[in-house]
Amino acid sequence: GAVVSQHPSWVICKSGTSVKIECRSLDFQATTMFWYRQFPKQSLMLMATSNEGSKATYEQGVEKDKFLINHASLTLSTLTVTSAHPEDSSFYICSARGPGQGNTEAFFGQGTRLTVV
Amino acid sequence: LAKTTQPISMDSYEGQEVNITCSHNNIATNDYITWYQQFPSQGPRFIIQGYKTKVTNEVASLFIPADRKSSTLSLPRVSLSDTAVYYCLVGALTDKLIFGTGTRLQVFP
């Protein structure tokens, strides 16, 4: 199946700094990417949906100025956590879908563990 | 998007068949039923998808009754490596994927 790669797999940052997480579709063009956050023992929570070349659509309660999403190309989307705080520590997961692909082919990255100290 | 209800957790032993049922009473005509598996600290992995009746692939079967208000994921002869969280999602193929609480399956030796 198609491969979606996230980088980094884990990151530790100091409170107040910003962290960028990359999500790449390696062998298909991802017209739509989804970003999720998952706290321990909880389900995935959708943060935002991004379509290539347009602004991301954020879910209710997700601060768009804090979680900056850029989907500038068909193979790369980035999530930047700005001014990170300990409560932003979580597991962040991206998912990518290509043109004409239904949810049968929504592929997920391996996730990024963010720890803010 | 149809709301789903699954058991919070299930236990099984190696070699047994495991059936996880998902309720989705307000499923819409265009909605499909998709199951994902997630291991700790990994992204979800697609298992199976169906619209009605029965679907089978190399890892699982999906049973969907005629009214489509529920579905059952069947894992034949589970092993320790099947210990994971299983999510049932219901929605149209182009919908965003909204995850419910999932079912935590623990397989014992």
Side-chain angles (χ1 to χ4, degrees):
Chain A
V3 178
V4 174
S5 177
Q6 269 184 254
H7 179 81
S9 297
W10 59 271
V11 58
I12 302 172
C13 71
K14 291 185 177 181
S15 187
T17 61
S18 294
V19 174
K20 180 184 285 187
I21 301 170
E22 293 186 347
C23 179
R24 294 181 183 271
S25 57
L26 299 184
D27 51 3
F28 68 102
Q29 294 183 327
T31 48
T32 305
M33 284 191 173
F34 306 92
W35 286 94
Y36 295 84
R37 180 168 56 180
Q38 187 175 32
F39 293 108
K41 304 289 186 184
Q42 295 187 23
S43 182
L44 286 77
M45 185 194 81
L46 180 64
M47 299 174 67
T49 302
S50 71
N51 292 298
E52 186 266 337
S54 60
K55 289 185 178 180
T57 301
Y58 290 81
E59 295 297 304
Q60 192 172 7
V62 178
E63 301 174 59
K64 66 174 97 176
D65 293 331
K66 180 169 185 62
F67 299 99
L68 302 179
I69 292 172
N70 184 286
H71 190 172
S73 80
L74 286 171
T75 59
L76 174 65
S77 176
T78 61
L79 167 67
T80 302
V81 182
T82 63
S83 186
H85 291 286
E87 57 264 30
D88 298 322
S89 297
S90 188
F91 191 55
Y92 293 86
I93 307 169
C94 72
S95 174
R97 193 166 66 197
Q101 291 177 339
N103 284 331
T104 302
E105 299 174 57
F107 299 99
F108 288 81
Q110 72 270 36
T112 297
R113 173 80 54 196
L114 169 63
T115 302
V116 184
V117 297
Chain B
L1 295 170
K3 179 180 168 58
T4 60
T5 303
Q6 304 174 234
I8 298 290
S9 64
M10 294 182 69
D11 292 337
S12 183
Y13 291 93
E14 283 193 292
Q16 291 189 332
E17 177 185 76
V18 171
N19 295 308
I20 306 175
T21 298
C22 178
S23 297
H24 27 82
N25 290 320
N26 58 340
I27 188 169
T29 303
N30 293 334
D31 288 347
Y32 282 71
I33 301 152
T34 310
W35 286 79
Y36 283 85
Q37 174 192 56
Q38 186 184 28
F39 296 113
S41 297
Q42 292 187 29
R45 184 176 71 118
F46 170 85
I47 300 175
I48 197 166
Q49 183 180 73
Y51 183 80
K52 61 180 180 181
T53 62
K54 177 184 174 182
V55 180
T56 298
N57 62 22
E58 61 276 9
V59 298
S61 294
L62 178 59
F63 298 92
I64 306 168
D67 66 4
R68 304 203 322 126
K69 293 183 183 301
S70 67
S71 59
T72 299
L73 173 72
S74 181
L75 305 172
R77 294 183 300 281
V78 295
S79 64
L80 295 175
S81 63
D82 293 316
T83 294
V85 179
Y86 293 82
Y87 294 96
C88 163
L89 283 74
V90 175
L93 291 182
T94 54
D95 283 346
K96 51 191 177 184
L97 293 171
I98 303 296
F99 285 77
T101 55
T103 298
R104 191 170 298 272
L105 173 65
Q106 179 69 55
V107 180
F108 295 96

